[in-house]
Amino acid sequence: MREVRVRFAPSPTGYLHIGGLRTALYNHLFARHNNGKFILRIEDTDQTRFVEGAIENLIESLHWAGVDYDEGVFVEDGKIVQKGNHGPYIQSERLNIYKKYVDELIEKGYAYYCFCSKERLEQVREEQKIKGLVPKYDGFCRNISLEEAKKRIANGEEYVVRLKLPQNYDVKFHDLVRGDIVINTDDVDDQVLLKSDGYPTYHMAVVVDDHLMNITHIVRGEEWLPSTPKHIYLYEVFGWEKPIYVHLPTVLNKDRKKLSKRQGDVSVEDFRDKGYLPEGLINYLALVGWSPEDNQEILSMEELIEKFSFERVSKTGGIFDKDKLNWVNGHYIRSSSVERITDMAIPYLIEAGFIDDEFVQYKYEWLKLLIHTVQESLDTMAEVVEKVEFIFKEHIEIIEEDALEIIKGEQVSTVLAAIKEELKNIEEIDEEYAKGFMKLIQKATGVKGKNLFMPARVALTGTAHGPEFVNILILLGKENILKRIDYVMKNYIN
């Protein structure tokens, strides 16, 4: 049996789309599950869409997500390098290879030179649309002899090379997700294989590359399904062994439409910036269109590899549910070490202006306690700013109705005055003192239970519910607690 070899072959047109990451992930899982090889190839034959830095960003996104590969394009010491025995892995460096195979198709009569202008092609398509036909090339140049075509080229005429599909021919293939598929060539265009700029189209390059790189399974989005007959026909005329095809369902939003930039986050960088953990995003993304037999929802990369198969991939588009993603991501935040989550939180806190680099250096243990205090309540790291804001505020405004009601209680001024009095006797609040602090206030006032704790919480945080009160005392410290109580007594207690 052949060694399983799969590839992810994106175009360097900007960012890595979340749907692209899922395609890469499924390739990765399938390769690892079958002890195969996973290749990263860059398909840059459309030079008009090339974006500077896109290859580096793409590789960085895969690396961040933990989707590793064995061959292809890598970044080392800031430079793009290629590793493996089937290179180059960047299509624009393979132009001579494609030219050789295009020439072979022309000589054997499976492709032809086409001299139609853009204006003529547009006119043909418009006429076809008016007649209610599927717009496609009308074969105008199919019967130009090779001799005449070469003369016209020698005279400097611009041309493309098109695939010469046979008429009324059923192309059959089996898709691991969709089953047996039959498409008739009468419904397919004579596809351009070589553009006028000398670059191959996707359709030519992908077949040549996949064959020469010994790709056994082609795993890609379902938008490529209509192109597959052209690719299979090329395999047939070259006499090459055909790969197995897997067309994945599209990642959809809640309205069952394709995820697009207009509707919000779609790039891996967007999700990274919002504070999703790589394992949270990967775990959730694996479940958008696939599920394990036992319907387990929290899965490590190792478990995903162990359980993955294309038999469990859905035929219909997978819904990308942000709430479900947040739930999965929250699980990983809660199960991570406080050191990791603190380090991830620091850039958000610096950006919010709460802390600076010097603060991090001298008060790291304090920051750890701060993050530990809110870690259970986080779904994404970006939420940390909102969750800890109350600690950094000079004054706390009490807005919630239940909190306002609590602070108006008749015993409140007694409790707050006792807190002020007690704090006069100490220099700083350590953990041991904080743990026994409210017992001292109870003893001094005779107030206990909710009547004691709730007003203290509201006065210090502005809310009736929240994180561990002992931690709040330590985090605020003596001076801030006194300031807050003075402010509340002056502004909320008559």
Side-chain angles (χ1 to χ4, degrees):
M1 220 173 110
R2 288 167 81 192
E3 177 192 47
V4 165
R5 285 176 62 83
V6 294
R7 49 61 170 182
F8 178 53
S11 299
T13 55
Y15 57 85
L16 177 57
H17 189 283
I18 206 76
L21 178 60
R22 191 194 60 173
T23 300
L25 173 62
Y26 283 8
N27 272 288
H28 169 81
L29 297 177
F30 184 71
R32 297 291 171 261
H33 182 85
N34 292 284
N35 297 315
K37 291 283 189 288
F38 178 30
I39 293 102
L40 176 68
R41 186 171 75 221
I42 301 297
E43 302 200 335
D44 63 341
T45 56
D46 188 347
Q47 291 287 294
T48 59
R49 295 174 67 219
F50 180 81
V51 173
E52 199 63 48
I55 296 175
E56 292 89 339
N57 288 348
L58 195 130
I59 290 169
E60 169 56 24
S61 291
L62 290 175
H63 176 70
W64 172 80
V67 178
D68 59 347
Y69 50 94
D70 307 291
E71 277 178 41
V73 185
F74 297 80
V75 172
E76 286 182 359
D77 301 323
K79 291 198 178 100
I80 292 172
V81 297
Q82 300 180 51
K83 295 178 181 178
N85 299 324
H86 299 85
Y89 294 91
I90 297 173
Q91 284 187 336
S92 56
E93 297 176 18
R94 297 171 62 83
L95 300 185
N96 290 340
I97 299 171
Y98 307 130
K99 183 78 171 67
K100 173 189 153 197
Y101 288 104
V102 168
D103 289 347
E104 185 183 321
L105 289 174
I106 290 168
E107 293 302 325
K108 289 180 176 174
Y110 294 120
Y112 59 94
Y113 294 106
C114 172
F115 301 92
C116 292
S117 65
K118 277 183 183 162
E119 292 73 26
R120 181 184 183 276
L121 294 174
E122 278 167 22
Q123 188 187 338
V124 167
R125 284 175 182 276
E126 281 308 310
E127 286 170 7
Q128 288 170 334
K129 277 183 193 171
I130 291 162
K131 291 175 185 169
L133 301 170
V134 177
K136 62 175 197 168
Y137 182 61
D138 62 353
F140 186 74
C141 295
R142 269 177 82 109
N143 298 317
I144 295 173
S145 71
L146 197 50
E147 194 182 349
E148 188 194 332
K150 285 182 175 175
K151 270 185 198 164
R152 290 173 71 169
I153 292 165
N155 289 334
E157 270 194 65
E158 200 172 87
Y159 67 92
V160 298
V161 175
R162 288 182 181 273
L163 177 62
K164 195 173 202 173
L165 284 168
Q167 291 174 328
N168 193 25
Y169 174 69
D170 282 340
V171 178
K172 301 172 185 176
F173 64 98
H174 181 79
D175 186 284
L176 287 189
V177 171
R178 285 149 206 289
D180 292 324
I181 294 173
V182 180
I183 298 177
N184 191 280
T185 53
D186 287 355
D187 301 322
V188 185
D189 221 348
D190 272 5
Q191 186 65 51
V192 173
L193 299 178
L194 192 73
K195 294 177 285 186
S196 56
D197 62 4
Y199 276 79
T201 59
Y202 169 81
H203 306 282
M204 182 67 195
V206 77
V207 170
V208 170
D209 288 347
D210 286 338
H211 169 69
L212 294 179
M213 293 179 189
N214 295 331
I215 301 302
T216 58
H217 296 74
I218 291 174
V219 184
R220 59 189 180 191
E222 67 183 357
E223 67 270 20
W224 294 111
L225 199 55
S227 304
T228 307
K230 305 166 194 176
H231 302 168
I232 285 175
Y233 182 69
L234 279 171
Y235 276 98
E236 287 177 3
V237 298
F238 278 125
W240 295 339
E241 185 177 350
K242 291 191 274 274
I244 294 164
Y245 284 90
V246 185
H247 287 94
L248 303 174
T250 306
V251 179
L252 305 172
N253 63 21
K254 278 188 171 176
D255 302 328
R256 302 198 74 82
K257 291 190 170 69
K258 193 173 178 183
L259 275 185
S260 78
K261 196 82 176 162
R262 284 193 306 278
Q263 295 144 336
D265 304 324
V266 295
S267 79
V268 176
E269 278 179 278
D270 290 335
F271 288 93
R272 187 178 178 176
D273 291 345
K274 287 274 164 64
Y276 289 92
L277 275 58
E279 60 270 42
L281 185 59
I282 284 295
N283 182 162
Y284 175 68
L285 202 50
L287 301 173
V288 180
W290 170 84
S291 61
E293 274 184 49
D294 56 9
N295 288 318
Q296 186 181 336
E297 291 191 302
I298 300 295
L299 298 121
S300 66
M301 186 69 91
E302 290 71 29
E303 289 171 310
L304 288 170
I305 289 166
E306 183 195 329
K307 294 171 187 272
F308 187 78
S309 75
F310 287 120
E311 284 71 36
R312 302 282 307 168
V313 171
S314 165
K315 286 185 179 67
T316 54
I319 304 294
F320 193 89
D321 181 345
K322 213 71 169 290
D323 295 334
K324 186 71 177 288
L325 168 62
N326 289 347
W327 175 80
V328 172
N329 198 62
H331 163 84
Y332 284 103
I333 290 177
R334 288 187 286 281
S335 55
S336 290
S337 72
V338 69
E339 287 80 9
R340 181 191 182 198
I341 300 304
T342 301
D343 292 343
M344 290 184 78
I346 285 167
Y348 295 98
L349 302 182
I350 289 174
E351 193 184 344
F354 294 162
I355 62 172
D356 56 23
D357 291 331
E358 193 178 354
F359 189 102
V360 174
Q361 194 178 343
Y362 291 107
K363 296 196 75 174
Y364 185 74
E365 288 305 314
W366 183 91
L367 279 172
K368 261 172 60 179
L369 178 64
L370 176 68
I371 299 308
H372 174 67
T373 305
V374 298
Q375 189 170 348
E376 283 290 316
S377 67
L378 296 174
D379 283 336
T380 73
M381 290 309 305
E383 290 174 357
V384 76
V385 171
E386 181 197 332
K387 301 283 186 186
V388 305
E389 190 179 17
F390 76 95
I391 290 289
F392 293 96
K393 278 184 171 174
E394 192 164 341
H395 301 305
I396 287 295
E397 301 299 337
I398 303 168
I399 299 162
E400 295 168 12
E401 274 183 43
D402 55 347
L404 283 166
E405 205 171 308
I406 287 164
I407 212 71
K408 299 288 184 194
E410 58 183 36
Q411 85 292 11
V412 172
S413 54
T414 308
V415 169
L416 298 184
I419 290 174
K420 282 183 71 173
E421 189 60 34
E422 172 57 36
L423 287 175
K424 279 183 186 173
N425 306 320
I426 61 132
E427 288 297 317
E428 61 177 273
I429 300 173
D430 60 22
E431 189 180 353
E432 195 180 339
Y433 179 72
K435 279 180 179 172
F437 183 76
M438 291 311 285
K439 276 208 174 107
L440 296 171
I441 307 305
Q442 182 183 324
K443 197 172 172 187
T445 60
V447 181
K448 51 186 164 183
K450 278 188 177 180
N451 289 336
L452 175 71
F453 281 91
M454 286 298 209
R457 181 181 282 283
V458 171
L460 298 187
T461 69
T463 181
H465 308 281
E468 179 66 47
F469 192 65
V470 167
N471 292 1
I472 289 166
L473 293 172
I474 300 166
L475 290 165
L476 285 173
K478 175 182 172 177
E479 296 306 321
N480 284 324
I481 291 172
L482 289 173
K483 274 187 202 166
R484 289 187 182 202
I485 286 175
D486 284 343
Y487 184 80
V488 168
M489 289 180 87
K490 185 179 168 187
N491 291 278
Y492 295 94
I493 296 170
N494 300 326

